[in-house]
Amino acid sequence: MRFWNIIKEDEPKMTTNTAQTVQTSWGWLLAIGIVFIILGILGLGMPFALTLAADLVVGWLLLIGGIISIISSFYSRNLGRFFMIFLSGVVFGIAGILLLVKPIVGALTLTLILAAFFFIEGIFKIVYSFQIRPIQNWGWILVSGIISLILAILIWADFPGSVVITGLLVGFYLLFSGISMIMLSVAARGALKST
C-alpha cells in the first residue's frame, strides 16, 4: 500500500518530467518517425519480401531495443517507470532472440511474436500517452497504442492464415507509428519554443 502511495504522489512529477524529456528530444522523434514512415511504405509495397526480411530485421531490432531499454531503465529516477521500461526491454530482448535463433520457423514465430509485441506495445503506448498528456498531440500516441492492440487481436483471430499478411501488418504498424512520432515531435517542438 505504501509503495502505491509513493507512485501516486510522484505521478504529477513523473508526467511533467516525461513531457519535458519528449520536448527536448523532438528532433530524434521526428527523425525516427520519418524512417518509420519510409519503412512502412516500403513494407506495404512489398509485403512478402518484408515478411521474409522482417524475421531477421525485427529480431535484431527487438534485441537491440531490449538491451537499450534495459540499460536506460537504470537511469530512471522513478520506481514505476523503472519497472515499466525494464520489463519492456526484457520482453523485446526475448522476442528478438527467439526470432534470431529459429529462422526456419521464422514466419510462424514472427507472427506469434508480432501479436504479443503489438499487444504489449499497445498497452505501453496507451500508458505512456497519459504520461505525456501536457503535450498537445499526445492523443496520436494513444491512437497508435489502440491500433497496436487491434493488430494483435487481428493476428490472433486469423492465425496461422495471418502469416501471409504479416508484412502488410508490419508495414501498417511502421507507417502509423511514424506518423504518430512526427505529430508528437511537432507538438513537442512547438511547446519547447513557447517556453
Side-chain angles (χ1 to χ4, degrees), residues 23 74 130 152 183:
Q23 287 174 348
F74 290 102
F130 287 105
M183 295 305 292

Side-chain angles (χ1 to χ4, degrees), residues 55-61 63 95-103:
D55 183 35
L56 293 175
V57 172
V58 171
W60 279 110
L61 289 176
L63 180 59
I97 290 169
L98 287 173
L99 284 174
L100 294 172
V101 170
K102 300 284 186 179

